[in-house]
Amino acid sequence: MITTDFVPGSPCWLDLGVPDLDAAAAFYGAVFGWRTASMDPGSGADGDGDGDGDYRMLQLDGRTVGALGKLTEEGARPAWMVYFSTPAIEETVAAAERAGGTVRTPASEVAEEGRFAQLTDPQGAQFAVWQPGSYPGLQAVDGPGSLGWVELYTTDSAAAQRFYGEVFGWTGEDMELPGQSGAYTMVTPKGQPPERMFGGVMAVPGMFASGGARPYWHPVFGSEDCDATVALVRESGGAVSMGPEDAEGVGRLAVCTDPDGAEFVVLTPAPR
């Protein structure tokens, strides 16, 4: 469960790097009803859909659920970036380097809103950290059209868990995958109860065996009707690589990609 109190080590922000912001905004607007808003209050931050610039807020019912940004790194592919909250960004970056990670963007200021850094874990998955100033993070989570879970697909689950454990202090709980070898590990912020689990780690080495892809994090967005949302994905130029299908105790889900190839999951949760 993702909440907006953003305890250390929990997901607090999400953005998507794409080559064409207008096209991405149109796709996600059709699928989830998101509208774009400029970071500048005088240029569309009221969520009226006239956001412009190279970094735009994504809003649902006037509340921010993520952002869109221009791809800037050489060789970067369109993908969602998950940010994890930290009260001390230099300490977190140093811990990541000690644990074998690398720094892609060192700790940087975003005016009075906060500080961020972009990192890569030892297996190659990219993520970011955010030290809040005046802006803590996402304004809507854990509901239809907003972030409800994050997942890491990696080559080595045990190694990834050691890394993130050293950096954030996450704890993990294994869940066996029906009909498959290995386990899906659900992770929880340091010192938090099990109901604060926010994501999962799973080893899928075969997915990366060709060397054409690297481990990655992807978001899971809530939906009142997974099948209807998946239909909108297809109608709007996206694709579906798995599902929709029912997962016992989890809900009905589908793995999707937007027209640029960025992956996300749509989930209608099982009743709690």
Side-chain angles (χ1 to χ4, degrees):
M1 179 180 183
I2 295 177
T3 65
T4 55
D5 59 0
F6 306 129
V7 297
S10 64
C12 64
W13 189 248
L14 185 72
D15 60 23
L16 173 64
V18 290
D20 186 332
L21 273 67
D22 290 335
F27 171 80
Y28 286 99
V31 173
F32 293 115
W34 297 345
R35 306 192 74 182
T36 58
S38 170
M39 291 184 67
D40 178 1
S43 302
D46 55 358
D48 60 4
D50 59 354
D52 53 15
D54 287 342
Y55 197 78
R56 308 178 192 178
M57 300 299 187
L58 293 166
Q59 296 187 334
L60 181 66
D61 298 328
R63 296 190 295 168
T64 301
V65 295
L68 291 175
K70 274 278 191 180
L71 284 175
T72 57
E73 290 185 64
E74 185 176 351
R77 62 178 179 84
W80 285 97
M81 182 73 64
V82 179
Y83 292 66
F84 300 100
S85 187
T86 175
I89 197 165
E90 282 90 357
E91 292 179 15
T92 301
V93 170
E97 290 184 293
R98 287 195 303 270
T102 56
V103 179
R104 300 192 327 281
T105 303
S108 305
E109 302 279 348
V110 184
E112 72 278 1
E113 281 88 352
R115 306 176 69 200
F116 78 98
Q118 296 188 339
L119 310 168
T120 303
D121 72 22
Q123 287 71 49
Q126 298 182 348
F127 67 102
V129 290
W130 175 253
Q131 179 182 320
S134 63
Y135 199 88
L138 300 170
Q139 296 174 339
V141 296
D142 199 38
S146 63
L147 183 68
W149 192 256
V150 295
E151 291 182 322
L152 172 63
Y153 286 174
T154 187
T155 52
D156 188 333
S157 177
Q161 290 177 62
R162 285 193 298 272
F163 171 78
Y164 290 101
E166 291 180 32
V167 175
F168 296 115
W170 294 349
T171 56
E173 179 180 323
D174 288 348
M175 178 180 72
E176 292 300 321
L177 298 173
Q180 301 182 46
S181 59
Y184 182 92
T185 302
M186 298 178 289
V187 290
T188 303
K190 181 180 180 180
Q192 296 297 308
E195 57 266 26
R196 293 301 301 271
M197 288 175 180
F198 63 80
V201 178
M202 184 168 66
V204 282
M207 182 182 293
F208 311 109
S210 69
R214 61 171 181 256
Y216 61 92
W217 286 94
H218 66 204
V220 179
F221 298 118
S223 170
E224 292 182 341
D225 185 333
C226 179
D227 293 69
T229 301
V230 165
L232 291 171
V233 168
R234 290 190 170 111
E235 291 170 8
S236 304
V240 180
S241 58
M242 187 192 80
E245 63 183 44
D246 295 319
E248 185 177 355
V250 176
R252 189 161 177 79
L253 59 85
V255 180
C256 305
T257 54
D258 67 21
D260 291 311
E263 185 174 283
F264 61 97
V265 173
V266 174
L267 171 67
T268 298
R272 293 176 178 171

